[in-house]
Structure formats: structure tokens, C-alpha cells
Amino acid sequence: MDILEVKNLEVILKKNNKEIIKNISFSIGKNSCVGILGESGSGKSVTCKSILNILNDNFRVNGEIIFNGKNLIDCTEKEMKNIRGKQICMILQNPMTSFDPLFTIQNQMVETFLEHLDISSKEALDLAKESLEKMRMKEIDAVLKKYPHELSGGMLQRVMIAIAIALKPKLIIADEPTTAIDSLNQKDIIEEFKILKNEIAVSILFVTHDLGILSYLADKLIVMQNGKIVESGTTAEIINNHNHEHTNFLIETRRTLMKKFKEVADWTLNEGENKIYE
């Protein structure tokens, strides 16, 4: 059974009637991960914002976004407030801008839980600690007392995922969550998403331009270009039996990049060994 079904979605810029998203359709099953792959400007983020009904008045949205039997496009702001955060969580690409710099991590986590859950302040604090433990964070009491600028991008991203874990949403939308963090933290963050999917039984819509991430994490792939879905299927189908030239371009670009990376890594290693024996 699908947790989300997007049908004939169109997003139009009102001032010039330009189609930003052009009649796209896809679905996400329970406890599955669907990846949206595409370059900057392909429409990935606009699609995510449409699902959460957070596009501003400059846009007109047509079609259907069915979540739990409701068309989110027709929901009032009050109805959407009951859905955002609690039933659908969004994890953004730049965690530093997602937190208020004037308040500690503890304050922001506790306030979020009090807003969405029927619990006391003490229970909210306990939940904050418990969710950070699940993210395998160390020195949790110290982390809770820190302000956002005192934590790295990777740690802030873990805090965002910890909040999502605690709220137990049915769907997590991750909009390029590894873009602003270093490669070592990227690997750890991807592992956390894998744990989310496998152990907490949450559905994930993962948006990125990185095919390597999606090949590891996603069950199905959607390839977007210029606001359209140009190809979709299982991850294995898209990687091994793709048909569209843009999909081929993205895959070959990834392979070329990895080949070049391996060449540089091998050269660096060999140079290091040569210096040892000089």
C-alpha cells in the first residue's frame, strides 16, 4: 500500500504562466525509499515543497498529492500544520539554517516535541536524550547545552534526524541532506537513513544529485530533468537498463568521477610509498 501518491502534479509560476513542474506522477510505498535524482534546477526541491504545501503565493499547484487519503493541495493551513512535523518530516540540505541561533539544541528539541506531542517538559527532555542516543551521539548532555553554531554540520544533521525519529512520522522528505557536510559525515548520515528505513519502518523520499547515495539507499529511482520525470523504475533497472539519454549522462558522469577519484587516490598512495623508500 502506498503512503504517498502524486498524480499529475503541475507547478506554475503565476507571473508568466511558466511550468516549473510538468505533469509528474509517482508513489511511495510503506517502509520504502524513493530517490529523486537530478541536476540543480531539475525541479526536485519544488516537488518536495509542493508535497508539504509550503510554496508561496507566486506559484499555482494543480493535480493531486494523496497522503493518508487526503489531497494535501486542498488542505487548509491549519490542517497542514497537523501534518507537517508529526506525520511528514522534512530534513533540509543546510542544517545550520534550520535551527534558531539564539536558542540551545535542548530548547529547540524540547519546544518541537511539546508542539507536536502531548507530553510534559520532562518527558520532552527525556525524549530528546533518547533520540540522540539512537543517533549514537556522544556526550549528549553537553550537546543539548550547545548553540547551533557550536556543532558541526554533521552533528546538526544528526540532531534533525533525531527529531524526526522522536516524532515518528510516516514519511521523511530528505532534500539533499548531505550537500553541506564533508564526505566522512556524509557516509555516517546515509547509514542513519538506512537504519531509519530498516528499523523504524518509515518511508523516505530522498532527493539528491548523487547517484552513489541513491544506489545504496533507494528502492526506486525517479530521474528528473527540466521539471519532468524522464525515467523511473527500480534502482537496479535505472542503473543497469536505463533508456533515457539524461539518465545515461548522470550515470556516466558518476562513473567518470569515481574513476578519476580512484586514479588520484592510487597516485597519492603510490607517491606516499615512493617517499617512504626514498
Side-chain angles (χ1 to χ4, degrees):
M1 182 178 177
D2 294 329
I3 190 74
L4 180 78
E5 190 171 4
V6 176
K7 299 179 181 179
N8 308 120
L9 178 65
E10 293 181 325
V11 179
I12 299 165
L13 190 59
K14 290 180 181 178
K15 68 178 182 180
N16 56 9
N17 280 327
K18 181 180 178 181
E19 277 189 307
I20 308 298
I21 301 298
K22 304 168 185 177
N23 195 35
I24 69 171
S25 299
F26 64 91
S27 61
I28 304 174
K30 286 187 176 180
N31 192 28
S32 69
C33 177
V34 172
I36 300 183
L37 177 68
E39 298 175 299
S40 296
S42 61
K44 305 186 303 294
S45 293
V46 174
T47 300
C48 293
K49 291 177 180 179
S50 301
I51 293 170
L52 281 171
N53 207 346
I54 56 175
L55 289 172
N56 61 40
D57 291 338
N58 294 322
F59 298 91
R60 182 170 70 252
V61 181
N62 300 325
E64 295 179 280
I65 301 172
I66 309 299
F67 176 77
N68 269 0
K70 281 187 176 183
N71 185 1
L72 301 185
I73 292 175
D74 295 333
C75 286
T76 64
E77 182 58 25
K78 183 178 180 181
E79 289 173 323
M80 285 306 302
K81 281 184 177 180
N82 291 326
I83 293 172
R84 295 189 202 110
K86 182 66 184 297
Q87 298 182 57
I88 304 177
C89 283
M90 189 166 186
I91 297 173
L92 302 172
Q93 60 181 283
N94 190 346
M96 190 62 73
T97 62
S98 302
F99 292 90
D100 191 323
L102 301 178
F103 297 93
T104 64
I105 297 300
Q106 177 174 315
N107 182 280
Q108 296 185 63
M109 291 187 77
V110 168
E111 287 299 314
T112 299
F113 297 154
L114 291 176
E115 175 72 21
H116 293 287
L117 305 172
D118 185 20
I119 57 178
S120 67
S121 295
K122 182 183 182 305
E123 289 171 329
L125 178 56
D126 291 341
L127 183 58
K129 293 179 179 181
E130 179 186 330
S131 58
L132 290 175
E133 282 177 6
K134 288 180 179 177
M135 293 302 297
R136 295 172 291 179
M137 293 187 74
K138 300 177 181 178
E139 300 179 352
I140 289 171
D141 288 334
V143 169
L144 287 169
K145 289 180 171 60
K146 291 185 182 295
Y147 290 85
H149 71 273
E150 296 180 292
L151 298 180
S152 67
M155 290 183 76
L156 286 174
Q157 201 65 282
R158 283 188 175 88
V159 173
M160 291 184 68
I161 299 173
I163 292 171
I165 290 172
L167 294 174
K168 297 180 180 177
K170 293 180 173 64
L171 173 66
I172 291 177
I173 299 174
D175 187 5
E176 305 216 34
T178 60
T179 300
I181 55 180
D182 62 78
S183 56
L184 290 176
N185 275 312
Q186 281 185 13
K187 181 178 182 297
D188 289 341
I189 295 301
I190 297 307
E191 287 298 329
E192 304 301 348
F193 276 103
K194 193 81 169 180
I195 291 168
L196 274 176
K197 175 176 171 287
N198 294 338
E199 296 184 12
I200 305 175
V202 65
S203 299
I204 301 171
L205 179 62
F206 199 103
V207 178
T208 184
H209 60 272
D210 191 327
L211 178 62
I213 291 173
L214 293 181
S215 65
Y216 177 70
L217 190 63
D219 302 300
K220 294 182 179 180
L221 290 183
I222 295 166
V223 182
M224 291 191 70
Q225 182 186 30
N226 298 326
K228 297 187 294 185
I229 293 176
V230 296
E231 197 157 14
S232 63
T234 67
T235 302
E237 287 171 347
I238 295 298
I239 292 175
N240 299 317
N241 298 301
H242 51 275
N243 296 309
H244 198 274
E245 59 183 1
H246 185 63
T247 307
N248 187 65
F249 167 76
L250 294 174
I251 290 174
E252 290 305 314
T253 299
R254 170 72 183 184
R255 285 175 177 161
T256 301
L257 180 64
M258 293 309 296
K259 181 180 178 183
K260 187 66 177 177
F261 177 82
K262 185 177 185 301
E263 289 173 356
V264 171
D266 289 345
W267 180 86
T268 303
L269 180 61
N270 291 334
E271 283 294 301
E273 287 178 348
N274 289 339
K275 288 183 183 299
I276 290 173
Y277 294 109
E278 281 178 358

